Amino acid sequence: MDTPILEMRNITKEFPGVRALNNVSFRVAKGEIHCLVGENGAGKSTLMKVLSGVWPYGSYTGDIYLEGELQTFKNVTDSEKAGIGIIYQELALVPELSVYENIFLGHEISNGVTVDWNETIKRANEMLARVRLDVNPATKIKDLGVGKQQLVEIAKALNRNVKLLILDEPTAALNEDDSANLLQLLREQKAHGVTCIMISHKLREVMAIADTVTILRDGQTVCTLDAHKGEVTEQVMIRHMVGREIDNVYPPRVGHRPGDEVVFEVKDWNAYDPRLGRQILKNVNFKVRKGEIVGFAGLMGSGRTELALSLFGNYPHYEVSGEIYVQGKPVKFSHPRDAIENGVAYLTEDRKGNGLILIQDVKQNISLANLQALANRGVVNANAEIKVANEYRAALNIKTPSVAQKVVNLSGGNQQKVCLGKWLFVKPNILILDEPTRGIDVGAKYEIYTIMNQLVQEGMSIIMISSELPEILGMSDRIYVVSEGRITGELPVEEANQEIIMQMATN
Amino acid sequence: MFFKSLQKLLKENIREYGMYIALFVIMLIFTITTDGIFISSRNISNLLNQTGYIAVLAVGMTLVIVIRHIDLSVGFLAGFLGAIAAIALAFWNFPVYVVIPLVLALGVVAGLLTAFPIAQLKVPAFVASLAGWLIYRGALLLVTAGTGTIIIADETFNAIGNGFIPDIPGLENFLPGVHKLTLLLGVVAIALYVVSQFRDRRKKLSYNFETLPMNMFIAKLVFISVLLALITWVLAGYNGLSWTVVIVLLVVGIYHFVTTQTVLGRHIYAVGGNPEAAELSGISVKKITYVVFGSMGMLSALSGILFASRLRSATVTAGTLFEMDAIAAAYIGGVSAAGGVGNVMGSLIGALVTMSLTSGMNLMNIDIAYQYIVRGAVLLAAVIFDVTTRSRGR
């Protein structure tokens, strides 16, 4: 057998309190497309960070061999020199610079003093042709769509003559056409002799493109499957990923039916983003009934988060038009405060970015949106705050040594429960949950689903935005599908399945 | 055993106690190098009075930096408003109890004006307040153009920067040469401190929150109490508490209460910690910006009053570089430019550190050129200390 291009042996990486990688071994043969799959938190990204030198030699145990040679990367520059190119989910391009400047960023063609722009543009055109991207290389990155930006990233990596190209969920933000295009491109690069490691959650994509699949679970390699021997199927992958059959992921909601009363309705909702200069929501109409969980399905970037933000006091300052009715009464929300006062709460998609105040403690985060309720003439009653925080800590099973613990020290699932606690404390009637289980482990997911069921049973209505179709299907009473800022379908859960929703989401 | 846990305590809380230790060390060094002149009643009393007008600015600046902004205009705003106070007293013959509220109100207005482009139009605070720096400098030159230095004759006004609180009458024979009211206030302060610490501890224990072990808790109580007693004794040995110190203590006390106990204070720190999360939790970031800059303007006015009163006049250059001293004091006191971290007590200590350096080096007859260099080095060291201990804590 040939020397593999990459072999990682017995890699163990620990963070304070967590063993992210436990004795992982991983080998990639030359010229193949190797997919790395596993649940969130399985250790895929950590493994790639070890490989690319983000976590330097010495901060992990185990050995990395590239074409048979032991590597000791101290930083990302070292791994780049060795021929490893990594493309992250969040693209590392400079939005205000042109396509050609980005492709040659850090590797400028120069005589030592000045940059040779003519040669740069000529070579950039060659690279763009290689990734089949037909744009003027002088275009600024910010004026390109996400799909095209992805191709620029690949051109940038190929320009550095990478031997091993790593892509972290490259199609997560792409529509079907762009995804298909990208996969085709990867096959072509394979023909050019580039070896590819792709992290992906989309199992169908994995089946379409992979030569080999390695599955990680809880920081350990579960198995490596060979596509050419027919070992790669959806069932097999799912079974190895979760380590058990998946029929029990969603807790049953017994004897509960949503009421008939419409508690929240949106009519002819339009939003225009002056910064992007485009219409982001077009004629959105939907309603939510008492005690109902309404799922909003769609691809990333379809406009679901923008819809929620524009309804919830329009924090991003879009230009909006349309009507909102709460309990049948027309309302106008000009600040999130107005929405909260009308019984609407919104749990954001990005809990670290705009959900929590990480440097503050659990009780301060829980009381944040409703401090007035704990105050007498503007002075916060510290005892009442601790009492309330402890109530939610118990009710939501938040695992923390005390409510005086800083939120930054909690795990993702517990952070999410703190966010949830904050919004439950404002006692809303309508709770909007944006990707409520993103990046949290299976156990915490199950707990959050159980809480959601309990809340609707008590009469709350929930709007759940989710990119995970099984979650949409497992939890919703009714489903709206969003695509490119429009609602492209409405389905009762009984009539829905993954294929129908995907079709509506991509048309 | 005792020293081991003391060592552990200091190691774990080095960030919190660091500046107190630094202040202590600086004072000790100067006391030795000046043969005790530095710690004399007279010098300490002077030092505190000089710290006053920077301390109140540092308190306001703390909140400005906590919400991730900066205000460069405060120095010349203080100078300008001090001149307005002098003009109102000397030329318009306004009574002092009209002038002070008027000038404070003007300060609030000025602060709101600075906040307008920042909150409404998203102009960076650095630029907006740099414009204010230029404008108020011009305004100060303009109002003092005809007269130059304006002398203030009003003794009530001048007492703010130079006067001392009266003593208890009828006790002239008891402890002569010692200010009895100051002594009494010091004893009351220590008693209140000890009682409140015990109550706080009992409450924390009842919720199973982390507390210091008992011996360390007692050690801390004794240390702070002795420190307060010393300061009281030193001050009582001269003229007692000055009105400046009383005002600074009031300001720090009120701001400490507001920032730690009230909804407003919590909202300010929430905005500083994560403005987007705060906004999406229903807090108006705009409103908080106006409030914080408005308070900064008011404290600038107070600083201007303290300074004019201390000099018994308004000068053409009043307020020069006050903003830099205030910013330095806030950073030495542990404020983080990343937002959401810092407290007014720390900034008060920071102001005392910078002023102790100035006072001590003056007593040692060190050349002004070296003084600036030393102060710069101390600021840098304080911030490096802060940044490194913070990243280690994570």
Side-chain angles (χ1 to χ4, degrees):
Chain A
M1 197 174 156
D2 289 344
T3 316
I5 184 162
L6 171 72
E7 185 168 11
M8 300 175 82
R9 278 188 214 152
N10 307 331
I11 305 288
T12 296
K13 168 77 189 162
E14 286 181 357
F15 295 106
V18 210
R19 182 170 286 189
L21 294 174
N22 188 1
N23 214 13
V24 170
S25 292
F26 179 56
R27 46 190 292 154
V28 180
K30 207 167 187 123
E32 69 168 349
I33 296 181
H34 195 126
C35 287
L36 194 55
V37 299
E39 283 192 300
N40 291 321
K44 304 175 303 261
S45 296
T46 311
L47 187 64
M48 291 302 106
K49 281 181 178 162
V50 167
L51 175 55
S52 62
V54 172
W55 305 122
Y57 179 73
S59 72
Y60 58 89
T61 60
D63 296 321
I64 301 175
Y65 294 89
L66 207 59
E67 295 180 310
E69 279 175 42
L70 182 66
Q71 303 291 336
T72 55
F73 301 137
K74 284 190 280 300
N75 50 45
V76 181
T77 320
D78 284 357
S79 73
E80 273 182 12
K81 275 195 199 129
I84 295 173
I86 183 158
I87 297 174
Y88 293 102
Q89 235 173 316
E90 300 86 19
L91 301 178
L93 297 170
V94 185
E96 287 292 339
L97 292 184
S98 67
V99 168
Y100 65 82
E101 283 171 304
N102 268 289
I103 292 178
F104 286 88
L105 194 64
H107 294 258
E108 289 80 5
I109 308 169
S110 78
N111 58 10
V113 182
T114 58
V115 175
D116 185 345
W117 291 118
N118 291 326
E119 179 67 17
T120 303
I121 293 171
K122 190 179 136 230
R123 296 246 307 260
N125 270 322
E126 289 167 17
M127 296 319 300
L128 291 177
R130 192 166 159 195
V131 298
R132 281 187 288 107
L133 178 59
D134 184 22
V135 296
N136 183 340
T139 317
K140 282 188 179 176
I141 290 297
K142 64 170 184 173
D143 296 326
L144 295 179
V146 176
K148 288 180 175 169
Q149 290 185 6
Q150 189 80 258
L151 295 178
V152 174
E153 273 274 20
I154 293 174
K156 182 175 160 187
L158 293 178
N159 182 50
R160 291 174 191 175
N161 289 320
V162 293
K163 290 181 227 154
L164 185 59
L165 181 64
I166 304 164
L167 300 116
D168 191 352
E169 298 202 43
T171 60
L174 303 189
N175 63 31
E176 215 158 69
D177 279 351
D178 284 347
S179 301
N181 186 20
L182 184 82
L183 296 187
Q184 183 53 35
L185 183 70
L186 293 184
R187 288 193 195 98
E188 283 169 22
Q189 298 314 316
K190 182 164 100 172
H192 275 85
V194 176
T195 311
C196 221
I197 300 174
M198 185 171 100
I199 296 177
S200 181
H201 280 302
K202 298 187 181 171
L203 297 183
R204 227 169 307 158
E205 233 171 62
V206 171
M207 288 190 292
I209 197 169
D211 295 306
T212 314
V213 176
T214 293
I215 296 173
L216 288 183
R217 189 206 316 148
D218 303 330
Q220 285 176 299
T221 328
V222 181
C223 62
T224 299
L225 307 170
D226 187 341
H228 303 291
K229 293 184 190 156
E231 292 171 351
V232 176
T233 68
E234 202 162 346
Q235 270 73 27
V236 171
M237 283 192 284
I238 290 177
R239 203 179 64 231
H240 286 305
M241 276 164 68
V242 299
R244 57 187 158 87
E245 300 303 325
I246 49 161
D247 42 50
N248 203 19
V249 177
Y250 303 98
R253 199 147 70 234
V254 278
H256 174 72
R257 288 272 118 217
D260 295 325
E261 185 197 343
V262 174
V263 290
F264 189 70
E265 185 168 10
V266 172
K267 285 186 186 165
D268 301 324
W269 193 256
N270 287 285
Y272 174 84
D273 187 339
R275 264 158 305 183
L276 295 178
R278 69 189 170 87
Q279 191 74 22
I280 47 171
L281 296 169
K282 291 163 215 136
N283 281 322
V284 174
N285 286 283
F286 71 90
K287 49 181 83 163
V288 180
R289 296 191 178 85
K290 191 175 167 71
E292 188 178 36
I293 296 183
V294 178
F296 273 71
L299 299 174
M300 271 196 221
S302 59
R304 294 163 306 164
T305 296
E306 289 79 357
L307 173 63
L309 281 170
S310 71
L311 291 172
F312 187 71
N314 193 18
Y315 164 65
H317 303 293
Y318 303 132
E319 291 162 19
V320 295
S321 68
E323 290 153 46
I324 309 173
Y325 295 86
V326 172
Q327 249 97 29
K329 274 186 251 134
V331 288
K332 282 226 181 324
F333 301 153
S334 56
H335 190 273
R337 172 96 268 153
D338 302 339
I340 295 167
E341 278 166 6
N342 276 285
V344 181
Y346 171 57
L347 183 134
T348 58
E349 153 188 50
D350 177 7
R351 63 177 165 269
K352 287 184 181 165
N354 55 19
L356 293 165
I357 298 174
L358 291 171
I359 56 171
Q360 295 192 352
D361 62 26
V362 172
K363 61 182 159 51
Q364 287 170 321
N365 272 283
I366 287 178
S367 64
L368 182 65
N370 200 14
L371 257 187
Q372 301 293 349
L374 296 170
N376 182 11
R377 283 196 228 126
V379 179
V380 179
N381 181 338
N383 286 322
E385 183 179 33
I386 293 164
K387 222 177 118 212
V388 163
N390 273 322
E391 278 166 28
Y392 284 102
R393 174 188 171 193
L396 303 177
N397 192 21
I398 300 170
K399 292 184 194 81
T400 169
S402 88
V403 291
Q405 177 73 234
K406 282 191 180 160
V407 171
V408 70
N409 297 326
L410 302 186
S411 72
N414 285 306
Q415 287 182 348
Q416 190 70 329
K417 289 182 196 166
V418 172
C419 276
L420 197 55
K422 170 172 86 174
W423 289 118
L424 295 182
F425 181 48
V426 309
K427 313 261 190 291
N429 298 317
I430 299 118
L431 178 61
I432 309 173
L433 302 174
D434 198 345
E435 304 285 3
T437 64
R438 173 179 291 175
I440 67 181
D441 63 76
V442 180
K445 270 187 183 179
Y446 192 85
E447 285 181 287
I448 286 182
Y449 296 141
T450 311
I451 295 161
M452 286 168 66
N453 282 344
Q454 202 181 324
L455 292 173
V456 290
Q457 232 132 25
E458 288 163 9
M460 198 183 287
S461 307
I462 293 179
I463 296 173
M464 181 182 71
I465 298 170
S466 174
S467 298
E468 288 181 42
L469 286 180
E471 179 171 282
I472 289 274
L473 292 166
M475 291 302 297
S476 311
D477 293 305
R478 203 153 48 84
I479 298 160
Y480 287 102
V481 185
V482 183
S483 171
E484 295 183 6
R486 281 172 296 122
I487 291 197
T488 51
E490 180 190 349
L491 298 162
V493 71
E494 298 81 17
E495 294 170 20
N497 62 43
Q498 302 209 15
E499 285 73 27
I500 297 176
I501 293 176
M502 265 335 260
Q503 216 165 14
M504 288 173 166
T506 51
N507 81 7
Chain B
M1 181 59 212
F2 179 81
F3 284 102
K4 215 164 208 167
S5 46
L6 183 68
Q7 211 177 1
K8 183 164 164 276
L9 177 70
L10 288 178
K11 218 172 191 169
E12 283 170 2
N13 296 287
I14 189 76
R15 246 175 82 69
E16 206 180 318
Y17 301 154
M19 57 197 173
Y20 292 94
I21 296 169
L23 180 61
F24 184 76
V25 170
I26 287 169
M27 294 183 119
L28 195 68
I29 290 174
F30 283 131
T31 304
I32 295 165
T33 54
T34 60
D35 294 330
I37 301 172
F38 181 83
I39 204 71
S40 70
S41 292
R42 191 192 160 86
N43 188 56
I44 291 296
S45 182
N46 259 325
L47 169 68
L48 291 179
N49 281 356
Q50 278 163 7
T51 310
Y53 52 88
I54 295 301
V56 292
L57 284 180
V59 166
M61 193 64 76
T62 306
L63 299 189
V64 173
I65 299 175
V66 160
I67 65 164
R68 307 182 176 196
H69 288 307
I70 193 80
D71 192 342
L72 301 176
S73 70
V74 298
F76 284 117
L77 177 59
F80 170 63
L81 290 174
I84 294 289
I87 290 168
L89 288 166
F91 303 147
W92 305 341
N93 292 318
F94 281 17
V96 65
Y97 47 85
V98 173
V99 169
I100 289 172
L102 178 77
V103 169
L104 291 178
L106 283 176
V108 173
V109 173
L112 296 179
L113 285 176
T114 310
F116 177 79
I118 298 166
Q120 228 67 30
L121 310 169
K122 309 276 173 228
V123 174
F126 190 94
V127 181
S129 66
L130 182 61
W133 186 92
L134 289 164
I135 290 167
Y136 295 127
R137 178 167 212 184
L140 173 60
L141 290 174
L142 210 60
V143 296
T144 54
T147 52
T149 300
I150 305 163
I151 306 292
I152 300 168
D154 190 302
E155 276 314 309
T156 318
F157 186 84
N158 289 339
I160 296 171
N162 301 290
F164 296 87
I165 60 170
D167 202 354
I168 307 164
L171 285 175
E172 285 77 9
N173 297 326
F174 173 69
L175 285 177
V178 176
H179 198 275
K180 266 76 69 182
L181 183 55
T182 301
L183 221 49
L184 183 67
L185 288 175
V187 171
V188 170
I190 291 169
L192 283 177
Y193 172 75
V194 171
V195 170
S196 78
Q197 285 292 305
F198 267 105
R199 281 171 61 177
D200 186 53
R201 181 184 170 83
R202 203 174 334 123
K203 202 158 87 186
K204 278 192 175 146
L205 281 176
S206 75
Y207 289 115
N208 284 324
F209 288 175
E210 252 183 83
T211 46
L212 294 177
M214 196 58 183
N215 58 351
M216 283 301 110
F217 175 71
I218 298 288
K220 186 182 156 193
L221 277 190
V222 169
F223 180 76
I224 302 274
S225 302
V226 167
L227 207 65
L228 284 173
L230 264 174
I231 294 169
T232 307
W233 183 251
V234 168
L235 287 180
Y238 188 53
N239 288 325
L241 277 180
S242 66
W243 285 114
T244 301
V245 170
V246 171
I247 289 171
V248 170
L249 288 179
L250 268 178
V251 167
V252 171
I254 291 169
Y255 273 75
H256 179 71
F257 176 78
V258 169
T259 50
T260 56
Q261 308 291 322
T262 67
V263 174
L264 176 65
R266 295 282 296 275
H267 283 181
I268 290 170
Y269 279 80
V271 167
N274 187 341
E276 283 186 56
E279 184 89 1
L280 285 167
S281 300
I283 299 164
S284 169
V285 174
K286 247 183 218 176
K287 189 185 112 187
I288 295 296
T289 309
Y290 277 115
V291 168
V292 168
F293 275 91
S295 107
M296 182 77 255
M298 186 191 70
L299 291 174
S300 304
L302 182 58
S303 168
I305 291 169
L306 286 171
F307 190 66
S309 159
R310 181 150 183 80
L311 297 189
R312 297 187 163 88
S313 63
T315 62
V316 184
T317 55
T320 310
L321 291 181
F322 283 15
E323 68 281 352
M324 292 303 158
D325 284 338
I327 293 168
Y331 277 113
I332 290 172
V335 173
S336 157
V341 175
N343 63 72
V344 295
M345 289 301 202
S347 299
L348 175 66
I349 302 296
L352 281 172
V353 167
T354 47
M355 279 303 163
S356 299
L357 284 173
T358 310
S359 163
M361 288 190 291
N362 277 337
L363 288 177
M364 289 171 70
N365 284 323
I366 291 177
D367 187 272
I368 187 78
Y370 293 110
Q371 291 199 16
Y372 277 118
I373 292 170
V374 169
R375 281 165 61 192
V378 168
L379 171 63
L380 191 63
V383 176
I384 288 174
F385 171 80
D386 193 54
V387 168
T388 48
T389 50
R390 178 170 318 173
S391 54
R392 203 181 316 148
R394 279 226 176 118

